[in-house]
């Protein structure tokens, strides 16, 4: 709004300098880029990210299978983690030695994380494995993929807006520096005679 008001104010002002009008046009262009172009870039980035993530979701669902696993015995928990972000995820799971059969029919035995608070031998729990029966992470779900895509779009729009504003500030800073340099040159010409009586002015 200030950019539009600035353009309107300088339209017919006799004191208007070329740099004043240029600054107002730069500000207006920056506003339009931030309000129109940055969101469009964010939407395009978000859509592209969502397409890629949804494709990844489909691939993971094809490659990963949930199979039942049986607890053989519980494994001693590692020492408590002081980091609250990692400790909460670890507290919801227990380390156990388990048996499971892969999608290809092969039998597997090893240490895994079970989503059981107090596992006992013989307890069953779901385990995600690949086609060969090796333990893998749970596949990405559609809601998480959409959230990541939205965050990517928002982040890209914010970065684009920041770049536009940074460029605007740099351009205005250079204009002001040039204006000061011109004032310094004009002052150097007029300075020695300034205030003298009969200096021919």
């Amino acid at each position: 709004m200030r950019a539009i008001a600035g353009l309107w104010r300088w339209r017919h002002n006799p004191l208007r300098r070329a740099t004043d009008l240029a600054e107002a046009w730069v500000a207006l262009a920056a506003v339009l880029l931030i309000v129109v172009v940055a969101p469009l870039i964010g939407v395009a980035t978000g859509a592209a990210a969502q397409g890629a993530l949804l494709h990844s979701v489909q691939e993971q669902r094809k490659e990963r299978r949930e199979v039942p696993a049986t607890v053989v015995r519980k494994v001693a928990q590692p020492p408590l983690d002081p980091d609250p972000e990692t400790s909460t995820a670890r507290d919801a799971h227990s380390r156990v030695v388990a048996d499971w059969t892969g999608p290809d029919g092969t039998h597997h035995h090893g240490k895994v994380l079970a989503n059981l608070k107090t596992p006992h031998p013989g307890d069953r729990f779901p385990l995600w494995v690949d086609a060969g029966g090796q333990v893998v992470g749970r596949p990405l779900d559609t809601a998480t993929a959409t959230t990541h895509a939205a965050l990517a779009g928002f982040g890209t729009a914010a970065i684009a807006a920041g770049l536009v504003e940074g460029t605007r500030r740099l351009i205005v800073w250079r204009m002001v520096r040039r204006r000061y340099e011109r004032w310094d040159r004009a002052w150097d010409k007029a300075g020695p005679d300034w205030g003298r009586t009969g200096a021919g002015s």
Side-chain angles (χ1 to χ4, degrees):
M1 292 306 296
R2 279 176 35 189
I4 295 168
L7 277 174
W8 187 260
R9 188 178 67 237
W10 288 117
R11 247 181 49 197
H12 301 296
N13 193 322
L15 299 176
R16 178 190 74 197
R17 297 166 296 198
T19 56
D20 295 326
L21 198 57
E23 281 181 35
W25 277 111
V26 167
L28 179 62
V31 166
L32 290 175
L33 287 172
I34 289 171
V35 171
V36 177
V37 177
L40 288 176
I41 291 172
V43 168
T45 303
Q50 186 173 21
L53 286 170
L54 290 178
H55 177 72
S56 178
V57 167
Q58 291 174 350
E59 289 298 314
Q60 287 181 6
R61 285 183 180 167
K62 284 180 193 172
E63 296 168 358
R64 301 177 187 188
R65 295 280 181 271
E66 191 177 36
V67 298
T70 305
V71 175
V72 175
R73 65 182 166 82
K74 185 176 178 179
V75 176
Q77 291 287 93
L80 290 175
D81 188 354
D83 184 3
E85 290 185 13
T86 57
S87 63
T88 52
R90 188 172 293 166
D91 291 344
H93 294 82
S94 302
R95 289 182 60 82
V96 298
V97 174
D99 290 327
W100 69 94
T101 302
D104 59 352
T106 56
H107 180 74
H108 296 271
H109 178 85
K111 292 180 184 178
V112 294
L113 282 176
N115 59 350
L116 302 168
K117 286 228 173 191
T118 54
H120 301 289
D123 287 349
R124 292 171 72 82
F125 62 95
L127 191 64
W128 286 96
V129 295
D130 62 13
Q134 299 301 314
V135 178
V136 293
R138 181 188 179 113
L140 188 67
D141 61 90
T142 307
T144 304
T146 303
T147 302
H148 287 324
L151 289 172
F154 180 77
T156 305
I159 289 169
L163 287 173
V164 169
E165 176 59 15
T167 303
R168 183 197 70 80
R169 287 175 183 261
L170 181 63
I171 290 169
V172 169
W173 176 73
R174 291 189 60 129
M175 286 179 173
V176 169
R177 277 197 60 193
R178 281 195 204 128
R179 183 186 305 153
Y180 287 157
E181 286 168 5
R182 284 196 298 271
W183 284 353
D184 286 342
R185 285 195 298 271
W187 181 255
D188 286 343
K189 287 180 186 174
D193 295 331
W194 185 260
R196 284 171 152 183
T197 309
S201 55

